[in-house]
Amino acid sequence: MNAITIVIGSMCILMIAYRLYGTFLAVKVLKLDDSKKTPAHDLEDGKDYVPTNRWVTFGHHFAAIAAAGPLVGPILAAQFGYLPGLLWLLIGAVIGGAVHDAVVLFASMRKNGQSLAEVAKEELGPVAGFCTGLAMLFIITITMAGLSMVVLHALEKNPWGTFSVGITIPIAMGVGLYHKKTGNLKGASIAGFILILAAVFTGPYIQNTIIGDWLTLDSKTLSIILPIYAFFAAALPVWLLLAPRDYLSSFMKIGVFIALILGVFVVNPDIPFPAVTEFVNGGGPILAGPVWPFISITIACGAISGFHAFVGSGTTPKMIDRWSDIKVVGFGAMLVECLVGIMALIAATALQPGDYFAINSTPEVFRTLGMDVVNLPMLSEAIGLNLEGRTGGAVTLAVGMTYIFTEIPWFSKLSSYFFQFVIMFEALFILTAIDSGTRVSRYLIQDFAGVFYKPMKRVDWIPGAVFASALACFLWGSLLFTGDIGSVWALFGVSNQLMASIGLIVGATVILKIADKRRYMLTCLIPLAYLYVTVNYAGYWMIKNVYLNSAAPGYSVLNAALSIIMLILGIIIMVAAVKKWLANWNSPRAQLAKSA
């Protein structure tokens, strides 16, 4: 198998799905009508509700949903071989993810761009709405821990990478201050981009200095530093750090993604990985469980992701110019993200299996696998870093991309710089997600605390903002400090896919209410049935075999408690939804839809 075959075949499937299934969903199921005003027009205020060109909105939405998830999940899932991940990415994105994102965006727009919790409250009742809000708080907290875990081993004892990533904080703040003072976005952009590139090329010169010694950090130290950074990112004004970091990161995302696609088409690497590995039945060194259900919770973003519901019921529904733009923004962006996930899978499986498992397993575990490394010593020498045992997925992506480009003769001299550039690219996007996610978590905490103490609801009340930010960072920081990538990423996967199930539940409820034919509800019920069973079984498996198993590396009573609470919340929401469906099923409109 070669990479170009996979890429071209996948692109054809995704384009056909967009043209046929996307059009069916938009025209027949959701009945998108451009003669009606969108919330962006009805509530236009020049701040939050702003009618925006569909391609600008697409760019915003794609940048928000396509963070580290579609890069890391497929890499970890490569443990099972390239075929399970590829199939789940394509089937999950077309049947599940694109539908989920489109219907959540549609449901939010019908309620003037309200959050999914508010939509659930109106569609399913106050109990389901409260449980949805609480689930969102749990899920965003776990998401922060899962994404942060990815970057730990990439920066562990890597002063070059730590310097390059760390220096972007003052660079972003400088860009924010300069832009706010002068209004010169072009000048700020050019200066920021040049400084980021300079940071990568400066890295080698600080490695053997006192600064390099300070920045040679272990994973536990980094797991304390990241929440501290997130506290300031959540509490500071958005224009000072969060917004300029997002903006500068977008340049790197586009550049790296284009470079990978070009590299695959120029080099056309072979895929030495088998279609399926011996670990499909469980017992793998990265993910302990079997291919099902773990393929579907390990690869979330790129196939179907509940995290997208935060965006689809957040900023995006307030920007949509015409109702028909939902097809481009909701359905289309998810398919593009699927392609990102496929490219990450190719980068991982382009490595020799022994090299892949040596990176993603501890040295002690790798010695038990009976595998030999092939190109890893050469890559470690070219990059200038010991690559063994750097779990988490971030290093694998950077090594895989570097390995693909080593087929180009002149590239060998740039291997170390390219590797650190990709590490910075991944870390920046993880930090960007941490910035935004911690701020969202802060808002959710303030909403819940405001029920008991009203001033907490005021986002401009400094004591409340500081308290909520500190609590949010403490919650996900505790998971980060005590977890490992296998247990934390599985916890993230379960929570994320539970959120996707909630999004499909709300979408199915709305479709039953507005569709011309009741069977159109199957567009949500089919992926929901699979995902709901999968996520509950995966949660049960992790609780029984890992979280409450004192002999397992991921033993954690806290993770078990979080999993149990989330699964119970999911059951409550499902029960409320079924009651609502039965009531709506026998309504006069539903009876009319039955005969249509």
Side-chain angles (χ1 to χ4, degrees):
M1 179 64 72
N2 58 62
I4 285 183
T5 302
I6 294 175
V7 173
I8 294 177
S10 299
M11 291 176 68
C12 290
I13 291 171
L14 296 175
M15 287 189 290
I16 292 170
Y18 177 78
R19 179 67 180 87
L20 299 181
Y21 195 39
T23 301
F24 167 76
L25 188 72
V27 176
K28 295 292 186 179
V29 180
L30 302 181
K31 300 185 298 183
L32 302 181
D33 184 0
D34 285 339
S35 66
K36 297 179 181 179
K37 288 185 177 181
T38 64
H41 287 281
D42 276 338
L43 303 173
E44 184 174 1
D45 59 6
K47 181 181 179 183
D48 295 315
Y49 292 86
V50 181
T52 308
N53 177 275
R54 69 167 63 183
W55 297 113
V56 175
T57 307
F58 175 93
H60 159 79
H61 186 78
F62 176 72
I65 64 173
L71 301 177
V72 174
I75 288 172
L76 299 179
Q79 168 189 277
F80 301 120
Y82 71 81
L83 187 59
L86 180 63
L87 290 176
W88 170 239
L89 281 164
L90 291 171
I91 297 172
V94 173
I95 305 298
V99 173
H100 168 275
D101 289 12
V103 297
V104 168
L105 181 56
F106 176 76
S108 177
M109 288 176 63
R110 289 183 73 247
K111 302 298 180 182
N112 291 325
Q114 291 182 329
S115 71
L116 189 64
E118 292 299 316
V119 176
K121 183 187 297 183
E122 293 192 31
E123 297 291 350
L124 302 174
V127 173
F130 174 81
C131 290
T132 300
L134 191 58
M136 290 174 72
L137 177 58
F138 274 95
I139 290 163
I140 197 69
T141 299
I142 294 166
T143 298
M144 295 305 96
L147 295 179
S148 300
M149 181 67 70
V150 173
V151 78
L152 287 186
H153 293 298
L155 300 182
E156 180 182 13
K157 297 179 182 178
N158 179 8
W160 182 353
T162 303
F163 171 79
S164 299
V165 172
I167 201 68
T168 62
I169 297 173
I171 290 174
M173 295 178 71
V175 168
L177 287 168
Y178 179 79
H179 178 241
K180 186 173 181 63
K181 184 176 181 180
T182 66
N184 184 355
L185 180 60
K186 182 178 179 180
S189 303
I190 294 173
F193 186 67
I194 291 174
L195 288 171
I196 283 177
L197 289 179
V200 175
F201 285 91
T202 303
Y205 301 101
I206 61 94
Q207 287 192 102
N208 298 317
T209 67
I210 188 171
I211 297 176
D213 293 338
W214 292 341
L215 296 177
T216 304
L217 307 172
D218 59 29
S219 60
K220 290 299 183 184
T221 304
L222 288 166
S223 66
I224 295 173
I225 291 174
L226 283 175
I228 292 174
Y229 157 76
F231 167 78
F232 288 101
L236 289 172
V238 292
W239 60 265
L240 183 58
L241 179 57
L242 189 148
R245 176 183 286 284
D246 286 356
Y247 179 69
L248 291 175
S249 297
S250 63
F251 288 106
M252 298 186 69
K253 171 173 275 189
I254 295 170
V256 171
F257 183 55
I258 291 175
L260 181 54
I261 292 178
L262 292 176
V264 166
F265 275 91
V266 171
V267 177
N268 188 20
D270 289 326
I271 304 297
F273 250 73
V276 294
T277 69
E278 61 189 284
F279 302 117
V280 291
N281 295 317
I286 303 167
L287 303 164
V291 66
W292 185 84
F294 279 80
I295 192 71
S296 297
I297 65 168
T298 302
I299 301 178
C301 299
I304 179 171
S305 170
F307 184 72
H308 296 186
F310 289 94
V311 182
S313 64
T315 53
T316 303
K318 301 175 180 65
M319 299 169 62
I320 296 290
D321 183 36
R322 299 187 301 171
W323 286 93
S324 61
D325 292 350
I326 289 176
K327 178 186 173 183
V328 175
V329 177
F331 201 93
M334 181 63 238
L335 298 185
V336 175
E337 187 187 40
C338 174
L339 184 59
V340 174
I342 290 170
M343 299 306 298
L345 182 66
I346 289 172
T349 54
L351 296 171
Q352 292 292 330
D355 297 343
Y356 167 85
F357 283 105
I359 297 172
N360 286 283
S361 310
T362 62
E364 297 76 19
V365 171
F366 180 70
R367 282 194 289 268
T368 68
L369 300 180
M371 297 181 179
D372 295 319
V373 297
V374 180
N375 298 311
L376 198 60
M378 176 271 292
L379 288 168
S380 294
E381 182 178 355
I383 291 169
L385 193 68
N386 181 17
L387 299 173
E388 293 185 13
R390 292 184 177 269
T391 60
V395 170
T396 305
L397 176 64
V399 173
M401 291 184 64
T402 303
Y403 176 67
I404 289 173
F405 281 95
T406 54
E407 296 295 322
I408 302 174
W410 55 264
F411 182 80
S412 58
K413 296 180 180 179
L414 298 175
S415 295
S416 58
Y417 295 99
F418 185 76
F419 173 85
Q420 295 294 356
F421 181 80
V422 177
I423 290 294
M424 179 197 282
F425 152 76
E426 295 178 278
L428 276 179
F429 272 96
I430 291 169
L431 293 179
T432 297
I434 291 172
D435 291 350
S436 304
T438 304
R439 189 173 287 268
V440 170
S441 182
R442 167 197 150 191
Y443 293 153
L444 289 170
I445 290 172
Q446 287 189 258
D447 281 340
F448 277 105
V451 175
F452 306 99
Y453 186 60
K454 290 186 177 180
M456 282 294 297
K457 277 188 174 289
R458 289 172 42 203
V459 295
D460 60 344
W461 188 49
I462 294 178
V466 169
F467 170 79
S469 298
L471 181 58
C473 294
F474 174 79
L475 290 174
W476 68 258
S478 299
L479 291 175
L480 178 65
F481 187 80
T482 59
D484 62 84
I485 186 61
S487 61
V488 171
W489 193 263
L491 183 64
F492 160 66
V494 169
S495 64
N496 192 47
Q497 301 304 54
L498 179 62
M499 190 71 232
S501 298
I502 295 171
L504 289 170
I505 287 171
V506 173
T509 307
V510 172
I511 289 173
L512 180 59
K513 181 183 291 187
I514 62 100
D516 290 333
K517 297 180 180 180
R518 293 193 298 190
R519 64 174 178 267
Y520 289 163
M521 190 182 179
L522 291 173
T523 55
C524 287
L525 289 185
I526 290 174
L528 173 60
Y530 171 80
L531 201 61
Y532 191 75
V533 171
T534 298
V535 75
N536 277 277
Y537 180 71
Y540 164 77
W541 196 98
M542 288 298 296
I543 292 167
K544 177 184 176 182
N545 295 290
V546 179
Y547 299 145
L548 295 183
N549 180 5
S550 58
Y555 172 74
S556 172
V557 176
L558 175 61
N559 287 2
L562 289 173
S563 298
I564 292 170
I565 291 171
M566 286 189 301
L567 295 179
I568 290 174
L569 290 173
I571 292 171
I572 294 172
I573 295 168
M574 178 60 82
V575 170
V578 171
K579 290 181 178 179
K580 188 69 173 182
W581 294 342
L582 291 174
N584 287 349
W585 192 265
N586 296 315
S587 68
R589 175 174 177 80
Q591 292 294 331
L592 181 63
K594 179 182 178 181
S595 61

